[in-house]
Structures are given as C-alpha cells and as structure tokens.
Amino acid sequence: MARPEDHHDEPGTTEERSTATLKKGSAKIDRNAIIRVESSLAKGGHELPNSPPTGSATWIYRDKIYPDNNDASTPYAPALASHAGELWCLWADANNTPYYATGTNDKWNHRILFTTPTTRMSDGPALAELDTVLHAVLVEGSDRQMYHYQFDKLTRAWGGRTSLGNSSLHAPALAGFDNQLFCAFTKANNELVYAYWNEANGWNASNPKSTGESTWGTPALYVRENEDIDDDELHLLFSFNRDSRAAQDLTYDKANDNFKRSANSPGEMMAFGCCATSFGRQAYMGFQSHSGTGTVLVSEFDGVRWEQNDSLNELSKDTPALAVLDGVVNCIYNAHGSGHNNLLWSQRPASSYPLDAWMAHLDDNTPLSGLSLPGTHDSCANTGSFVSGVFVDCQTMSITDQLNAGIRYFDLRCKLVNGALLMYHGSVYLDRSLNDVLKEIYNWLDIDRHKEEALVAQVQQEHDSDLRFSAAMKAVVMDGKSRWVLTTTTPILRDVRGKIQLMRRYDAQAGYVGIDLWGKAGEAWKDNDANFQIQTSTGVNLFVQDYYELLRPDLSYQGVVSQKFRYVSDLIAPAIDSDSKTWYLNWTSGYGSASNALYISAEALALGYWDLLNPHDGVNKALRNYLLRAPLKARLGVILMNFPEDPDSDLICAIAQTNG
C-alpha cells in the first residue's frame, strides 16, 4: 500500500516555512472580541504563544517543537493529547524508539524515553485520557502488534504494558468515552474495526467489532457535546478506501454498540487518514491534502456542519495530530521532505478569546459579583501522594496552570506555623507557603496580557482563627499592597484588573479590610451547609452552598452525585435572575459514602468511577451537561470545582463564556 510520501510531489524544501499568505478560515470567531484583545495588546502588551493572533490569520506557525535541535524527528505520525493541564506528545525517533514530552501552549519540555530503549515502534502511536489517567497504544515490531500503556502520575512513568491481542495496518486512534477507552484500527484487508477497554473487564480487542466500513489510512476518534441530547457523543472519522478518499463521520450508538454514518460528514478528500479533537460543541479534523503536496489542512465542525478546511500552509510527511489546551488548538506534524522529519507546531484559538485572558473584553463597570467566575476548591491541594492523595488531593493543575486555564477565584487555606503562613488541607501540609503561591500569582499578573484579568483570593485559616494569623496575613498583603484590592464592599471589574480582591475567612485586626466572610466570632460561615446567607457589616450580601460531607448510606453513589449537584443547581438558578451586586459562592466539591461505596473521594465525586459492573459520572459531568441547557449569557456566580480540567477540558471555558 502506498504511503503518502510515495505519491506526494516534492515541495523543493525540507522544513522551511511556506511564505504564502495564510488563508482566513471559516471558523466562527468573535471579531469584536479580537479587536478588543488586539487593542489591549497595543497598550503595551505582548502576544504570548498561548494566544495565537486571530485577526489576520487563523493559524500561526510556531517552529519546530525543539527549535535548537533535532530531538523530535520522527518517521511516523505523532500522537497528541491534553492531560492534567499540559500538552503531551508521543512519537518514534529515527530508530523507532518511543519518546514523549510535555508542554504548554508556550513551550515544550525536554523529551523523555517512553519505556525502555528496546521498545521498537512500527507506526504512529495514539494517546487519550480516561478518568484522569493518560493512556497510550503503540504499534510495535514487525508483526505490528498493539500494546496498551498507562501513565502512573505517582511514579511519573509509563507502565502496565498489555497486549491488545491484535495488529493494526496503520496507526490506531484512541478516545475516552462513557468511562471506557475506545481504540479504532485497521485490519489487514483495510476493514475499520474498534475495541474498548475498562478497568473491570480489560480489552475486547482480540475479537474487535467491525464498523462495516473500509478505510484508507489512519482513523480518528473524538468526543463532542451534542446539545440535542444534552450529552457527549463519540465519533469516528476515516477516509473511504476508494480513489476519492473522502472523509466520513460515524456516530457511536451506545444502545446497540455500533457505529452509524452521521448526518454531517466533512466530505474532504485526504491523502492518508486523519486526526481529530474537540472543544465543547466544536470539533476539528486534521489531514493532508489529496493533491499530492502533503499540505496540512484542518476542518472545523461548528456544532451544525463541517466548514471548509483551513490550510496551515505547511507540509507534512504523515498525518498530523491535534489537541486543545486552554482554549487553543495545537497541531503537531512531521516535516515533509528529505533529511530530518522534525515535529513542527502550529496553533489557533478555539474560542474568540484565549482562556488566560478571557476577561479583557468584559465591561469595566460590571460588579465583580455580577460575573460567572470559574474557581477551584482547595486550590493548592495537589500532593500527588498515593497514600494521602486519595483523602487530600483536589487538584492536578498548578496555580499557574489554573490561571492559564481560566480559573479566577482561588480557595487558599493556610495555617500559621512558627510565624509562617503555610498551605494546608485540613491537617495535611501541602509543602508550600502562602508566599510561594502569591509569588506564582504575582509573576502571572506581571505578564502584560494578563493585566486585564481580575482575581479573587478567598483566604481561610485552617482550624480556629486568631489575631496572630490576622497579623501574619496583614504583613503578607502589605508586602505586596499594590497587588491587592482590600475594599470591604464589592468592587467593579475596572478596579480589580491586574489585581486580587481579598475575601477573608479569618478574624481580623481592627481597621483591617477585605470582604468579610468571618463575621463576629466566626458565626457568619455555616459549616457543611447547602444554602446560607452572609450579610456583612458593610452591606455585602452573599449566598453560599458548601455542602461537602455527603455521608448517605441510604443512597447509591449516583444518588449522592445527584444530591450534590441538586444543591449546586439550586444556587445557580437564583444567581441567573438576581441582583448583580449579590454574590453567589457555589462549591461543587465534597466527599462521602453511599450504599455501594464505603468511601467516595473528592476525585470520585467530581469525575465519576467504575464499580464492579458499570461506569458512573461525577459532578463535573453533570455541571457540564447542565451548562448545555443553561442560557448562553447569564451570570452563574462563582463555581468552585475539584479537577475542573476533567473529564472534559472545556468546562472552565463553558463557565467563562456565559459572561456577556
């Protein structure tokens, strides 16, 4: 079978950028928002790589992922995924040895050997996240057998090598869907088949299911929101095994466990298969042109139909790879031509504004309480420990990663130890100080493009509060006084841009400021309460939902999730309709027990879990589905979440986009 490099016309250069003008794409971009962002940049800001310019061109070429060397040169298509607030890329080097690297929308870290030097790949790999775990499938050896690996976040290593019991003619595709890992691949007769894996049953790949389709090249799996069913759908893209090689889209039918042709298919003609990713209702398909030049093209599904493709005006030897991180679509592809086939990098925004600067277009006169603010519960609780992590961890992203992902409200919990304010979750020290956290935030705010953003820090003393804590906190704040807004009333957005509004959950010295959530002798805050009101002495009105201890042996796990989310939605409803000067603080977090679960961890409540037989969705999925039905522009209040980047990377964006 001919590979694309066998029938492409030689472009005449190896890894040089095309000098042709980039074509404007057909993606639905808010041009007014772009003008506002560009205007703010003109005031002295500078364009960071995680915000590709969007006014004159859709895609921006970045460079090789390693501009100074050839450490990422590969004879096959790479794999790309977003996981734990980072981009992950996996590829084979010139000796067919697998390597991987992590990165951001700005830069890539040094490559790391995937497993052992003896592992040899024979085609491109596949990557996908399932239930906060990153998975890979490699095609290995001359017999092209597929092997499944999982990344262990505690040991920071790939392991669990398991044979799928089958070979693949081309690079496979992976996607996590409905608490299962799906793998699509090609049999020797070009038959397109699929298999799935879960924790309870393992793989069924030794006896894969046929799609009834014949394909030419690499297939692609992606999951996107479908507002008609208020849920996600699994899709499979492939190119017909005929001269046209037109792209066809299949939709997975869960009830019948099969794939059916979708009403909307891209119809694009491609060289040798495709890749895909999604962001909310949007989907993106990457492929090489059918014309024989190897030009990288990307088509977008806007929620209704597939739009005409965008050209990256770059040439690729093999099928590209796509992934979205923090609202930016990243495309990685190996250079076409003789010499090194280095991995190249292009980007474009998935939304009309980047998530690290999403507040720039908002009205200056909006009360801070009148916004939908994505937040994190126990923002620093990220130990990564196997023992304590089950009971302590609430986040995977660092504070900087949270900021870049669009988080704007931080729940910071401290304890005064030998005169220092240290970060704690309950009685567990989180191995950093408040000064460490604030330095990270200050450095982020110092970047020009972030000076239009407004942050809120809710600082709480873990355990009993006293004036020694207040004095220590005052010293920390006064040391960076220009960074803080210390008003006791609700400010407007203009007054907090580039700064941090203090919300105080501790006793304070006379004359000390910040919006008071403590009250007299700490009576303002009601512990483990589903709906209570705080009225400060300065006239600030707040409604709070923080029911976190869900000990319900009379309910199933899913019943506990439903109960928790009912409390969440019960506070969102009045937030949509009420006075914009009233605060709504809404925690989606918690832990508990149920009739079929002795202990429900913070992670299990947020993200779901597998019991012996069935998968169960968590609160984050319930919130995301709720937002599909909510008004497109409405104040939701502050939504504080655990692991907000999972199970779908667009949850933070979905909250931010409800702002006018």
Side-chain angles (χ1 to χ4, degrees):
M1 176 176 294
R3 294 296 299 259
E5 59 267 30
D6 296 327
H7 58 74
H8 286 164
D9 295 330
E10 183 60 48
T13 59
T14 56
E15 296 170 16
E16 296 178 359
R17 286 196 59 202
S18 169
T19 57
T21 302
L22 293 177
K23 186 186 76 168
K24 287 186 178 181
S26 55
K28 298 297 185 289
I29 296 176
D30 182 347
R31 299 296 174 188
N32 291 328
I34 292 165
I35 292 170
R36 287 190 288 268
V37 171
E38 288 179 341
S39 176
S40 70
L41 292 171
K43 296 175 184 177
H46 62 275
E47 195 80 49
L48 274 192
N50 74 329
S51 176
T54 55
S56 60
T58 300
W59 287 90
I60 178 173
Y61 174 80
R62 293 297 309 277
D63 204 333
K64 298 188 299 183
I65 70 170
Y66 297 131
D68 299 328
N69 58 55
N70 298 317
D71 282 353
S73 177
T74 179
Y76 308 123
L80 190 66
S82 60
H83 169 67
E86 295 181 300
L87 290 170
W88 292 65
C89 188
L90 173 60
W91 69 92
D93 73 356
N95 297 315
N96 295 331
T97 303
Y99 284 87
Y100 74 98
T102 61
T104 66
N105 287 327
D106 183 20
K107 64 180 181 180
W108 287 91
N109 300 316
H110 295 298
R111 71 176 188 175
I112 303 171
L113 184 66
F114 182 80
T115 49
T116 66
T118 58
T119 302
R120 290 291 181 267
M121 296 169 60
S122 47
D123 214 318
L127 281 173
E129 182 183 81
L130 174 66
D131 298 338
T132 76
V133 176
L134 190 62
H135 297 257
V137 168
L138 271 59
V139 181
E140 300 179 15
S142 58
D143 58 354
R144 306 183 63 86
Q145 289 293 309
M146 293 184 293
Y147 291 89
H148 173 211
Y149 298 82
Q150 299 180 57
F151 186 77
D152 187 325
K153 64 182 180 181
L154 301 178
T155 63
R156 301 292 297 177
W158 291 92
R161 184 175 185 261
T162 304
S163 173
L164 274 71
N166 225 308
S167 61
S168 181
L169 185 61
H170 310 302
L174 277 184
F177 174 71
D178 199 30
N179 298 100
Q180 299 192 105
L181 187 68
F182 281 73
C183 180
F185 57 99
T186 313
K187 300 288 286 182
N189 58 356
N190 289 319
E191 179 187 12
L192 181 60
V193 299
Y194 67 99
Y196 39 76
W197 172 94
N198 59 57
E199 288 281 3
N201 303 308
W203 282 101
N204 72 330
S206 59
N207 186 27
K209 295 178 176 289
S210 176
T211 63
E213 305 284 358
S214 179
T215 183
W216 178 270
T218 304
L221 288 164
Y222 69 95
V223 178
R224 72 168 186 86
E225 293 177 2
N226 185 331
E227 59 184 332
D228 294 331
I229 62 173
D230 293 334
D231 206 348
D232 287 338
E233 281 186 335
L234 177 65
H235 289 257
L236 173 56
L237 285 164
F238 68 98
S239 59
F240 278 125
N241 186 25
R242 59 185 68 159
D243 289 343
S244 69
R245 298 179 194 166
Q248 175 67 48
D249 186 80
L250 305 178
T251 304
Y252 182 64
D253 181 346
K254 289 195 290 186
N256 296 299
D257 187 17
N258 60 24
F259 280 91
K260 299 179 179 179
R261 291 192 181 183
S262 307
N264 289 298
S265 281
E268 300 282 3
M269 299 171 64
M270 57 185 63
F272 198 77
C274 58
C275 64
T277 192
S278 63
F279 188 70
R281 297 183 179 97
Q282 299 157 251
Y284 301 89
M285 177 182 72
F287 57 102
Q288 299 163 285
S289 67
H290 187 260
S291 63
T293 62
T295 301
V296 180
L297 305 172
V298 177
S299 294
E300 179 189 357
F301 183 81
D302 64 3
V304 179
R305 64 183 62 84
W306 286 95
E307 300 284 356
Q308 182 180 356
N309 63 69
D310 279 349
S311 173
L312 276 62
N313 281 322
E314 304 295 337
L315 304 175
S316 175
K317 174 181 176 291
D318 292 283
T319 303
L322 291 170
V324 178
L325 178 68
D326 298 342
V328 176
V329 188
N330 290 269
C331 184
I332 303 291
Y333 45 98
N334 60 347
H336 185 288
S338 58
H340 295 290
N341 298 117
N342 279 307
L343 291 179
L344 308 181
W345 186 15
S346 295
Q347 294 176 314
R348 59 151 288 180
S351 61
S352 55
Y353 41 79
L355 286 178
D356 74 321
W358 65 264
M359 302 180 86
H361 74 285
L362 300 180
D363 186 346
D364 269 348
N365 295 311
T366 305
L368 208 57
S369 56
L371 298 172
S372 300
L373 293 177
T376 46
H377 156 256
D378 241 312
S379 304
C380 295
N382 178 16
T383 67
S385 166
F386 178 76
V387 178
S388 64
V390 174
F391 302 99
V392 175
D393 285 2
C394 300
Q395 309 300 331
T396 358
M397 293 190 291
S398 69
I399 293 296
T400 297
D401 288 339
Q402 292 177 40
L403 286 161
N404 286 333
I407 296 296
R408 295 295 175 264
Y409 194 109
F410 294 87
D411 178 6
L412 304 177
R413 307 187 179 201
C414 314
K415 187 176 179 181
L416 187 63
V417 180
N418 297 325
L421 291 170
L422 305 182
M423 306 309 298
Y424 272 76
H425 182 178
S427 60
V428 179
Y429 174 46
L430 300 175
D431 200 30
R432 61 189 320 194
S433 69
L434 180 60
N435 277 327
D436 294 333
V437 176
L438 294 179
K439 181 179 180 181
E440 201 170 342
I441 293 174
Y442 294 164
N443 287 341
W444 188 86
L445 285 172
D446 282 343
I447 296 171
D448 285 342
R449 63 174 289 97
H450 298 153
K451 292 182 178 179
E452 298 295 308
E453 302 304 291
L455 309 182
V456 181
Q458 177 180 304
V459 179
Q460 171 186 344
Q461 181 177 9
E462 285 284 43
H463 310 298
D464 295 334
S465 183
D466 59 45
L467 294 182
R468 290 176 301 168
F469 182 94
S470 175
M473 184 62 200
K474 182 176 181 179
V476 168
V477 170
M478 290 300 110
D479 188 50
K481 186 176 180 180
S482 64
R483 311 273 192 172
W484 291 85
V485 176
L486 301 175
T487 177
T488 60
T489 58
T490 300
I492 60 173
L493 180 57
R494 177 194 299 115
D495 296 333
V496 194
R497 290 196 187 275
K499 299 182 180 182
I500 310 163
Q501 170 66 46
L502 175 64
M503 307 287 275
R504 177 169 52 81
R505 272 191 70 184
Y506 57 89
D507 203 357
Q509 293 173 309
Y512 191 45
V513 289
I515 295 177
D516 180 17
L517 306 180
W518 180 255
K520 185 178 180 181
E523 87 287 351
W525 195 272
K526 309 300 181 187
D527 185 60
N528 199 38
D529 199 304
N531 193 338
F532 64 93
Q533 184 177 7
I534 297 175
Q535 290 181 305
T536 73
S537 60
T538 57
V540 178
N541 193 29
L542 307 97
F543 288 92
V544 182
Q545 182 282 125
D546 188 19
Y547 191 88
Y548 61 87
E549 193 176 53
L550 297 128
L551 305 175
R552 294 298 302 269
D554 58 316
L555 295 177
S556 67
Y557 164 84
Q558 207 60 52
V560 171
V561 169
S562 297
Q563 181 193 50
K564 175 60 184 180
F565 187 70
R566 185 163 58 251
Y567 295 143
V568 173
S569 59
D570 283 350
L571 198 66
I572 291 177
I576 291 174
D577 297 324
S578 73
D579 175 14
S580 65
K581 293 184 179 180
T582 298
W583 287 85
Y584 288 84
L585 308 182
N586 205 345
W587 271 259
T588 68
S589 52
Y591 67 91
S593 61
S595 60
N596 59 343
L598 291 177
Y599 178 69
I600 302 173
S601 68
E603 182 177 12
L605 185 71
L607 305 180
Y609 88 115
W610 263 88
D611 62 21
L612 293 177
L613 297 174
N614 300 301
H616 302 282
D617 290 331
V619 174
N620 288 10
K621 186 65 174 290
L623 175 60
R624 184 169 173 267
N625 289 348
Y626 177 92
L627 293 175
L628 282 174
R629 304 186 295 273
L632 292 177
K633 299 296 179 184
R635 187 273 299 265
L636 306 181
V638 181
I639 310 292
L640 295 104
M641 301 165 282
N642 285 341
F643 311 102
E645 74 277 18
D646 289 313
D648 305 288
S649 63
D650 55 359
L651 177 55
I652 298 170
C653 184
I655 296 171
Q657 286 183 331
T658 64
N659 292 288

